[in-house]
Amino acid sequence: MHALYPLVVSALLFSVGVYGVLARRNAILMLMSVELMLNAVNLNLVAFDALWRDRLHGGQLLTLFTIVIAAAEVGLGLAIVLLVFRNRKTVEVDRLTELGEARRDPAEARRGADAETSAEPVAAAREGDGP
Amino acid sequence: MTAQEVVFTLLGAVAVGSAILVVTTRQLVHAALWLVVSFGALAGAYLLLTAEFVAWVQVLIYVGAVVVLLLFGIMLTRAPIGRMPRGGPDDPLDSGNRWAALAVALATAGVLITTLVHGFSDAVIDLKAEGGGAEPLGASLFRTWVLPFEVLSVLLLAALIGAIVLSRTDIGPRDREGRR
């Protein structure tokens, strides 16, 4: 089999993942796109393992490692997304701009002030979580 | 075009097509289900590349665990289930920079495919069924790669503890008076 078939498929999968990460707004859909990119890398590793007939099976074992790390990554990522959802009631990544530069016109600043006051009870609830 | 190439082309078309549906569909749950199709087609591609153990691990972990985890995430964040109307700047699924993302993705694909075609235009994979099963992989894993394997177990433990600490609400930083 010509080596370009798996390599081109993996390049296409990777760029589809890039599109997903950049174009999606929901954090879980972004995680799915990251999984697509990781799978593209895995396909590359397996293809090069088959191409160069590695005696130590480095490509396939690195694929197994990548799969495990991706599972750990998606577990932690979902925990973070759930925490963001619990504190902010949204998982839309471009709405989470508290750490950004303050660069707002007055109308938006008023809306931002409203958002901050509405964020207060959430923080209070978070502090009140303990016994 | 040999039979293997035909089968791989079909599998690759399924994988890329369902991946495109993952990033373009308007229904969150359908995105996760198209992800299953894409990962399944990739498992078939691994089988074709004589990596049978990796193929089954892919089915078990990706299709079995990761997609179920993503579905749980969709439900726990109370994501809108069902078809989302396409709604301008307040669209909850797609951000406004769809065309910039498309341009970047096409540029990435162009650069990668040009490089690969220039670099590997005469490389031919000689597919022989050997070395992809559990036995050679296990022997290699526990002889040569045993140190990364053990480090990986520590990484998994750290991820496990991190996920527990992040998602439990009754453990957290102490407040100012030192109470928990």
Side-chain angles (χ1 to χ4, degrees):
Chain A
M1 183 165 72
H2 205 286
L4 274 182
Y5 287 91
L7 300 186
V8 168
V9 167
S10 98
L12 287 176
L13 268 182
F14 188 85
S15 43
V16 170
V18 167
Y19 171 80
V21 168
L22 292 178
R24 290 299 209 182
R25 177 174 275 171
N26 189 301
I28 293 178
L29 285 170
M30 287 182 69
L31 276 180
M32 289 185 196
S33 311
V34 171
E35 294 300 315
L36 282 178
M37 290 160 79
L38 283 167
N39 266 282
V41 173
N42 287 347
L43 182 59
N44 242 346
L45 285 170
V46 170
F48 278 112
D49 186 281
L51 173 62
W52 283 323
R53 323 199 120 264
D54 186 4
R55 212 161 38 83
L56 300 177
H57 302 296
Q60 295 186 21
L61 284 171
L62 202 55
T63 307
L64 292 180
F65 288 168
T66 321
I67 289 176
V68 174
I69 291 174
E73 170 253 326
V74 78
L76 265 184
L78 277 178
I80 293 172
V81 168
L82 288 184
L83 200 60
V84 167
F85 179 74
R86 204 186 292 149
N87 284 330
R88 301 261 185 270
K89 298 286 170 246
T90 181
V91 289
E92 298 172 10
V93 286
D94 51 358
R95 299 277 153 77
L96 306 171
T97 54
E98 268 92 54
L99 295 181
E101 298 250 335
R103 204 164 26 117
R104 304 171 178 166
D105 54 23
E108 276 205 38
R110 223 177 305 123
R111 219 177 306 142
D114 289 349
E116 272 164 32
T117 50
S118 68
E120 280 300 320
V122 177
R126 175 105 183 106
E127 280 172 14
D129 273 344
Chain B
M1 211 172 179
T2 62
Q4 288 160 340
E5 289 173 349
V6 173
V7 175
F8 195 92
T9 310
L10 292 177
L11 285 172
V14 171
V16 175
S18 47
I20 290 174
L21 282 170
V22 168
V23 297
T24 55
T25 182
R26 303 289 305 158
Q27 305 195 37
L28 271 166
V29 180
H30 284 197
L33 298 179
W34 283 117
L35 208 60
V36 171
V37 178
S38 183
F39 290 164
L42 272 176
Y46 293 159
L47 269 183
L48 206 62
L49 289 168
T50 72
E52 58 202 49
F53 186 68
V54 177
W56 295 123
V57 168
Q58 165 96 0
V59 171
L60 282 177
I61 294 188
Y62 267 116
V63 180
V66 169
V67 173
V68 172
L69 213 57
L70 288 170
L71 280 172
F72 267 108
I74 289 175
M75 289 165 192
L76 287 176
T77 54
R78 299 202 186 85
I81 308 288
R83 177 170 287 280
M84 297 294 303
R86 194 173 281 283
D90 279 338
D91 193 340
L93 297 185
D94 285 334
S95 60
N97 45 13
R98 194 179 305 126
W99 297 108
L102 190 64
V104 172
L106 285 179
T108 312
V111 169
L112 282 178
I113 290 177
T114 314
T115 314
L116 289 171
V117 167
H118 276 285
F120 296 96
S121 55
D122 51 352
V124 175
I125 297 179
D126 182 21
L127 289 175
K128 267 197 238 113
E130 50 154 17
E135 190 187 345
L137 274 189
S140 185
L141 179 63
F142 290 108
R143 280 193 194 121
T144 318
W145 303 97
V146 67
L147 182 63
F149 181 77
E150 297 297 333
V151 172
L152 201 63
S153 66
V154 179
L155 177 103
L156 270 183
L157 180 69
L160 181 74
I161 295 174
I164 290 175
V165 169
L166 281 180
S167 52
R168 273 183 65 174
T169 52
D170 52 341
I171 49 179
R174 291 170 186 275
D175 56 12
R176 288 192 194 87
E177 290 88 43
R179 283 181 290 112
R180 288 193 71 84

PDB file of all heavy atoms in Angstrom, chain B residues 52-77:
ATOM      1  N   GLU B  52      -3.369  -4.661  14.993  1.00  0.00           N
ATOM      2  CA  GLU B  52      -4.666  -5.144  15.457  1.00  0.00           C
ATOM      3  C   GLU B  52      -4.890  -4.832  16.934  1.00  0.00           C
ATOM      4  O   GLU B  52      -6.009  -4.494  17.334  1.00  0.00           O
ATOM      5  CB  GLU B  52      -4.779  -6.644  15.211  1.00  0.00           C
ATOM      6  CG  GLU B  52      -3.693  -7.442  15.881  1.00  0.00           C
ATOM      7  CD  GLU B  52      -3.506  -8.797  15.214  1.00  0.00           C
ATOM      8  OE1 GLU B  52      -3.392  -8.801  13.983  1.00  0.00           O
ATOM      9  OE2 GLU B  52      -3.483  -9.801  15.905  1.00  0.00           O
ATOM     10  N   PHE B  53      -3.824  -4.892  17.730  1.00  0.00           N
ATOM     11  CA  PHE B  53      -4.013  -4.591  19.152  1.00  0.00           C
ATOM     12  C   PHE B  53      -4.407  -3.124  19.351  1.00  0.00           C
ATOM     13  O   PHE B  53      -5.318  -2.810  20.114  1.00  0.00           O
ATOM     14  CB  PHE B  53      -2.723  -4.915  19.917  1.00  0.00           C
ATOM     15  CG  PHE B  53      -2.866  -4.776  21.398  1.00  0.00           C
ATOM     16  CD1 PHE B  53      -3.669  -5.640  22.113  1.00  0.00           C
ATOM     17  CD2 PHE B  53      -2.212  -3.776  22.080  1.00  0.00           C
ATOM     18  CE1 PHE B  53      -3.820  -5.510  23.484  1.00  0.00           C
ATOM     19  CE2 PHE B  53      -2.351  -3.640  23.448  1.00  0.00           C
ATOM     20  CZ  PHE B  53      -3.157  -4.517  24.143  1.00  0.00           C
ATOM     21  N   VAL B  54      -3.728  -2.235  18.614  1.00  0.00           N
ATOM     22  CA  VAL B  54      -4.078  -0.813  18.696  1.00  0.00           C
ATOM     23  C   VAL B  54      -5.516  -0.593  18.250  1.00  0.00           C
ATOM     24  O   VAL B  54      -6.253   0.224  18.822  1.00  0.00           O
ATOM     25  CB  VAL B  54      -3.091   0.018  17.854  1.00  0.00           C
ATOM     26  CG1 VAL B  54      -3.469   1.473  17.869  1.00  0.00           C
ATOM     27  CG2 VAL B  54      -1.697  -0.152  18.385  1.00  0.00           C
ATOM     28  N   ALA B  55      -5.949  -1.370  17.246  1.00  0.00           N
ATOM     29  CA  ALA B  55      -7.328  -1.218  16.772  1.00  0.00           C
ATOM     30  C   ALA B  55      -8.315  -1.563  17.883  1.00  0.00           C
ATOM     31  O   ALA B  55      -9.290  -0.834  18.097  1.00  0.00           O
ATOM     32  CB  ALA B  55      -7.553  -2.113  15.560  1.00  0.00           C
ATOM     33  N   TRP B  56      -8.056  -2.650  18.606  1.00  0.00           N
ATOM     34  CA  TRP B  56      -9.016  -3.014  19.654  1.00  0.00           C
ATOM     35  C   TRP B  56      -8.936  -2.058  20.829  1.00  0.00           C
ATOM     36  O   TRP B  56      -9.956  -1.765  21.460  1.00  0.00           O
ATOM     37  CB  TRP B  56      -8.821  -4.450  20.099  1.00  0.00           C
ATOM     38  CG  TRP B  56      -9.134  -5.396  18.989  1.00  0.00           C
ATOM     39  CD1 TRP B  56      -8.318  -6.339  18.467  1.00  0.00           C
ATOM     40  CD2 TRP B  56     -10.341  -5.452  18.221  1.00  0.00           C
ATOM     41  NE1 TRP B  56      -8.934  -6.963  17.421  1.00  0.00           N
ATOM     42  CE2 TRP B  56     -10.164  -6.443  17.257  1.00  0.00           C
ATOM     43  CE3 TRP B  56     -11.535  -4.748  18.249  1.00  0.00           C
ATOM     44  CZ2 TRP B  56     -11.160  -6.754  16.328  1.00  0.00           C
ATOM     45  CZ3 TRP B  56     -12.519  -5.048  17.332  1.00  0.00           C
ATOM     46  CH2 TRP B  56     -12.330  -6.040  16.399  1.00  0.00           C
ATOM     47  N   VAL B  57      -7.732  -1.566  21.124  1.00  0.00           N
ATOM     48  CA  VAL B  57      -7.640  -0.558  22.189  1.00  0.00           C
ATOM     49  C   VAL B  57      -8.395   0.700  21.788  1.00  0.00           C
ATOM     50  O   VAL B  57      -9.087   1.330  22.601  1.00  0.00           O
ATOM     51  CB  VAL B  57      -6.160  -0.254  22.505  1.00  0.00           C
ATOM     52  CG1 VAL B  57      -6.036   0.967  23.381  1.00  0.00           C
ATOM     53  CG2 VAL B  57      -5.535  -1.429  23.192  1.00  0.00           C
ATOM     54  N   GLN B  58      -8.300   1.049  20.505  1.00  0.00           N
ATOM     55  CA  GLN B  58      -9.047   2.207  20.007  1.00  0.00           C
ATOM     56  C   GLN B  58     -10.537   2.010  20.212  1.00  0.00           C
ATOM     57  O   GLN B  58     -11.235   2.901  20.699  1.00  0.00           O
ATOM     58  CB  GLN B  58      -8.732   2.370  18.518  1.00  0.00           C
ATOM     59  CG  GLN B  58      -9.666   3.273  17.759  1.00  0.00           C
ATOM     60  CD  GLN B  58      -9.145   4.671  17.646  1.00  0.00           C
ATOM     61  OE1 GLN B  58      -8.071   4.953  18.141  1.00  0.00           O
ATOM     62  NE2 GLN B  58      -9.893   5.529  17.010  1.00  0.00           N
ATOM     63  N   VAL B  59     -11.037   0.815  19.870  1.00  0.00           N
ATOM     64  CA  VAL B  59     -12.473   0.569  20.038  1.00  0.00           C
ATOM     65  C   VAL B  59     -12.840   0.630  21.517  1.00  0.00           C
ATOM     66  O   VAL B  59     -13.839   1.257  21.902  1.00  0.00           O
ATOM     67  CB  VAL B  59     -12.848  -0.798  19.430  1.00  0.00           C
ATOM     68  CG1 VAL B  59     -14.277  -1.156  19.807  1.00  0.00           C
ATOM     69  CG2 VAL B  59     -12.718  -0.749  17.931  1.00  0.00           C
ATOM     70  N   LEU B  60     -12.008   0.002  22.367  1.00  0.00           N
ATOM     71  CA  LEU B  60     -12.369  -0.061  23.785  1.00  0.00           C
ATOM     72  C   LEU B  60     -12.314   1.308  24.434  1.00  0.00           C
ATOM     73  O   LEU B  60     -13.264   1.719  25.113  1.00  0.00           O
ATOM     74  CB  LEU B  60     -11.414  -1.001  24.530  1.00  0.00           C
ATOM     75  CG  LEU B  60     -11.663  -2.478  24.354  1.00  0.00           C
ATOM     76  CD1 LEU B  60     -10.596  -3.259  25.077  1.00  0.00           C
ATOM     77  CD2 LEU B  60     -13.024  -2.832  24.898  1.00  0.00           C
ATOM     78  N   ILE B  61     -11.208   2.042  24.232  1.00  0.00           N
ATOM     79  CA  ILE B  61     -11.030   3.286  24.984  1.00  0.00           C
ATOM     80  C   ILE B  61     -11.745   4.437  24.317  1.00  0.00           C
ATOM     81  O   ILE B  61     -12.521   5.150  24.955  1.00  0.00           O
ATOM     82  CB  ILE B  61      -9.531   3.584  25.165  1.00  0.00           C
ATOM     83  CG1 ILE B  61      -8.929   2.508  26.063  1.00  0.00           C
ATOM     84  CG2 ILE B  61      -9.339   4.940  25.788  1.00  0.00           C
ATOM     85  CD1 ILE B  61      -7.542   2.770  26.480  1.00  0.00           C
ATOM     86  N   TYR B  62     -11.525   4.624  23.006  1.00  0.00           N
ATOM     87  CA  TYR B  62     -12.154   5.785  22.375  1.00  0.00           C
ATOM     88  C   TYR B  62     -13.656   5.596  22.238  1.00  0.00           C
ATOM     89  O   TYR B  62     -14.449   6.368  22.756  1.00  0.00           O
ATOM     90  CB  TYR B  62     -11.526   6.061  21.013  1.00  0.00           C
ATOM     91  CG  TYR B  62     -10.407   7.055  21.103  1.00  0.00           C
ATOM     92  CD1 TYR B  62      -9.113   6.726  20.800  1.00  0.00           C
ATOM     93  CD2 TYR B  62     -10.681   8.334  21.515  1.00  0.00           C
ATOM     94  CE1 TYR B  62      -8.103   7.634  20.907  1.00  0.00           C
ATOM     95  CE2 TYR B  62      -9.671   9.254  21.624  1.00  0.00           C
ATOM     96  CZ  TYR B  62      -8.389   8.897  21.318  1.00  0.00           C
ATOM     97  OH  TYR B  62      -7.390   9.800  21.428  1.00  0.00           O
ATOM     98  N   VAL B  63     -14.047   4.542  21.521  1.00  0.00           N
ATOM     99  CA  VAL B  63     -15.482   4.364  21.281  1.00  0.00           C
ATOM    100  C   VAL B  63     -16.191   4.036  22.585  1.00  0.00           C
ATOM    101  O   VAL B  63     -17.304   4.487  22.855  1.00  0.00           O
ATOM    102  CB  VAL B  63     -15.690   3.256  20.228  1.00  0.00           C
ATOM    103  CG1 VAL B  63     -17.159   3.067  19.960  1.00  0.00           C
ATOM    104  CG2 VAL B  63     -14.962   3.618  18.957  1.00  0.00           C
ATOM    105  N   GLY B  64     -15.523   3.253  23.438  1.00  0.00           N
ATOM    106  CA  GLY B  64     -16.196   2.830  24.660  1.00  0.00           C
ATOM    107  C   GLY B  64     -16.195   3.888  25.731  1.00  0.00           C
ATOM    108  O   GLY B  64     -17.234   4.200  26.296  1.00  0.00           O
ATOM    109  N   ALA B  65     -15.011   4.437  26.020  1.00  0.00           N
ATOM    110  CA  ALA B  65     -14.908   5.289  27.208  1.00  0.00           C
ATOM    111  C   ALA B  65     -15.012   6.770  26.878  1.00  0.00           C
ATOM    112  O   ALA B  65     -15.810   7.484  27.479  1.00  0.00           O
ATOM    113  CB  ALA B  65     -13.592   5.004  27.926  1.00  0.00           C
ATOM    114  N   VAL B  66     -14.214   7.234  25.919  1.00  0.00           N
ATOM    115  CA  VAL B  66     -14.108   8.680  25.709  1.00  0.00           C
ATOM    116  C   VAL B  66     -15.429   9.255  25.214  1.00  0.00           C
ATOM    117  O   VAL B  66     -15.891  10.297  25.689  1.00  0.00           O
ATOM    118  CB  VAL B  66     -12.952   8.974  24.725  1.00  0.00           C
ATOM    119  CG1 VAL B  66     -12.991  10.403  24.284  1.00  0.00           C
ATOM    120  CG2 VAL B  66     -11.638   8.672  25.388  1.00  0.00           C
ATOM    121  N   VAL B  67     -16.088   8.545  24.287  1.00  0.00           N
ATOM    122  CA  VAL B  67     -17.334   9.082  23.750  1.00  0.00           C
ATOM    123  C   VAL B  67     -18.419   9.087  24.822  1.00  0.00           C
ATOM    124  O   VAL B  67     -19.210  10.034  24.929  1.00  0.00           O
ATOM    125  CB  VAL B  67     -17.756   8.278  22.505  1.00  0.00           C
ATOM    126  CG1 VAL B  67     -19.129   8.707  22.046  1.00  0.00           C
ATOM    127  CG2 VAL B  67     -16.765   8.491  21.397  1.00  0.00           C
ATOM    128  N   VAL B  68     -18.433   8.042  25.662  1.00  0.00           N
ATOM    129  CA  VAL B  68     -19.420   8.021  26.744  1.00  0.00           C
ATOM    130  C   VAL B  68     -19.154   9.166  27.720  1.00  0.00           C
ATOM    131  O   VAL B  68     -20.080   9.838  28.196  1.00  0.00           O
ATOM    132  CB  VAL B  68     -19.379   6.654  27.446  1.00  0.00           C
ATOM    133  CG1 VAL B  68     -20.252   6.671  28.682  1.00  0.00           C
ATOM    134  CG2 VAL B  68     -19.852   5.586  26.510  1.00  0.00           C
ATOM    135  N   LEU B  69     -17.869   9.423  27.981  1.00  0.00           N
ATOM    136  CA  LEU B  69     -17.508  10.546  28.855  1.00  0.00           C
ATOM    137  C   LEU B  69     -17.977  11.871  28.249  1.00  0.00           C
ATOM    138  O   LEU B  69     -18.533  12.729  28.951  1.00  0.00           O
ATOM    139  CB  LEU B  69     -15.992  10.547  29.019  1.00  0.00           C
ATOM    140  CG  LEU B  69     -15.401  11.018  30.321  1.00  0.00           C
ATOM    141  CD1 LEU B  69     -15.966  10.193  31.443  1.00  0.00           C
ATOM    142  CD2 LEU B  69     -13.903  10.838  30.275  1.00  0.00           C
ATOM    143  N   LEU B  70     -17.791  12.012  26.923  1.00  0.00           N
ATOM    144  CA  LEU B  70     -18.228  13.252  26.275  1.00  0.00           C
ATOM    145  C   LEU B  70     -19.745  13.381  26.326  1.00  0.00           C
ATOM    146  O   LEU B  70     -20.276  14.475  26.523  1.00  0.00           O
ATOM    147  CB  LEU B  70     -17.741  13.275  24.830  1.00  0.00           C
ATOM    148  CG  LEU B  70     -16.243  13.502  24.663  1.00  0.00           C
ATOM    149  CD1 LEU B  70     -15.824  13.255  23.236  1.00  0.00           C
ATOM    150  CD2 LEU B  70     -15.893  14.922  25.037  1.00  0.00           C
ATOM    151  N   LEU B  71     -20.456  12.249  26.170  1.00  0.00           N
ATOM    152  CA  LEU B  71     -21.925  12.311  26.256  1.00  0.00           C
ATOM    153  C   LEU B  71     -22.356  12.717  27.660  1.00  0.00           C
ATOM    154  O   LEU B  71     -23.290  13.509  27.828  1.00  0.00           O
ATOM    155  CB  LEU B  71     -22.521  10.956  25.881  1.00  0.00           C
ATOM    156  CG  LEU B  71     -22.601  10.686  24.387  1.00  0.00           C
ATOM    157  CD1 LEU B  71     -23.005   9.260  24.136  1.00  0.00           C
ATOM    158  CD2 LEU B  71     -23.610  11.612  23.762  1.00  0.00           C
ATOM    159  N   PHE B  72     -21.670  12.168  28.674  1.00  0.00           N
ATOM    160  CA  PHE B  72     -21.962  12.595  30.042  1.00  0.00           C
ATOM    161  C   PHE B  72     -21.728  14.091  30.200  1.00  0.00           C
ATOM    162  O   PHE B  72     -22.521  14.790  30.833  1.00  0.00           O
ATOM    163  CB  PHE B  72     -21.092  11.838  31.038  1.00  0.00           C
ATOM    164  CG  PHE B  72     -21.759  10.613  31.578  1.00  0.00           C
ATOM    165  CD1 PHE B  72     -21.345   9.357  31.193  1.00  0.00           C
ATOM    166  CD2 PHE B  72     -22.802  10.728  32.472  1.00  0.00           C
ATOM    167  CE1 PHE B  72     -21.963   8.238  31.667  1.00  0.00           C
ATOM    168  CE2 PHE B  72     -23.416   9.611  32.965  1.00  0.00           C
ATOM    169  CZ  PHE B  72     -23.000   8.363  32.564  1.00  0.00           C
ATOM    170  N   GLY B  73     -20.630  14.572  29.619  1.00  0.00           N
ATOM    171  CA  GLY B  73     -20.349  16.004  29.712  1.00  0.00           C
ATOM    172  C   GLY B  73     -21.435  16.831  29.058  1.00  0.00           C
ATOM    173  O   GLY B  73     -21.858  17.856  29.603  1.00  0.00           O
ATOM    174  N   ILE B  74     -21.918  16.369  27.882  1.00  0.00           N
ATOM    175  CA  ILE B  74     -22.997  17.095  27.205  1.00  0.00           C
ATOM    176  C   ILE B  74     -24.223  17.163  28.104  1.00  0.00           C
ATOM    177  O   ILE B  74     -24.868  18.206  28.246  1.00  0.00           O
ATOM    178  CB  ILE B  74     -23.321  16.402  25.867  1.00  0.00           C
ATOM    179  CG1 ILE B  74     -22.205  16.616  24.869  1.00  0.00           C
ATOM    180  CG2 ILE B  74     -24.623  16.924  25.303  1.00  0.00           C
ATOM    181  CD1 ILE B  74     -22.396  15.867  23.600  1.00  0.00           C
ATOM    182  N   MET B  75     -24.544  16.043  28.749  1.00  0.00           N
ATOM    183  CA  MET B  75     -25.764  16.054  29.558  1.00  0.00           C
ATOM    184  C   MET B  75     -25.566  16.840  30.846  1.00  0.00           C
ATOM    185  O   MET B  75     -26.480  17.543  31.292  1.00  0.00           O
ATOM    186  CB  MET B  75     -26.175  14.621  29.872  1.00  0.00           C
ATOM    187  CG  MET B  75     -26.681  13.946  28.632  1.00  0.00           C
ATOM    188  SD  MET B  75     -26.780  12.202  28.819  1.00  0.00           S
ATOM    189  CE  MET B  75     -27.044  11.724  27.132  1.00  0.00           C
ATOM    190  N   LEU B  76     -24.387  16.742  31.463  1.00  0.00           N
ATOM    191  CA  LEU B  76     -24.195  17.426  32.743  1.00  0.00           C
ATOM    192  C   LEU B  76     -24.102  18.932  32.584  1.00  0.00           C
ATOM    193  O   LEU B  76     -24.405  19.660  33.521  1.00  0.00           O
ATOM    194  CB  LEU B  76     -22.929  16.903  33.430  1.00  0.00           C
ATOM    195  CG  LEU B  76     -23.071  15.514  34.006  1.00  0.00           C
ATOM    196  CD1 LEU B  76     -21.759  15.046  34.568  1.00  0.00           C
ATOM    197  CD2 LEU B  76     -24.123  15.490  35.077  1.00  0.00           C
ATOM    198  N   THR B  77     -23.672  19.420  31.420  1.00  0.00           N
ATOM    199  CA  THR B  77     -23.653  20.867  31.238  1.00  0.00           C
ATOM    200  C   THR B  77     -24.983  21.369  30.710  1.00  0.00           C
ATOM    201  O   THR B  77     -25.072  22.512  30.273  1.00  0.00           O
ATOM    202  CB  THR B  77     -22.546  21.293  30.273  1.00  0.00           C
ATOM    203  OG1 THR B  77     -22.702  20.559  29.068  1.00  0.00           O
ATOM    204  CG2 THR B  77     -21.202  21.027  30.834  1.00  0.00           C
TER     205      THR B  77
END
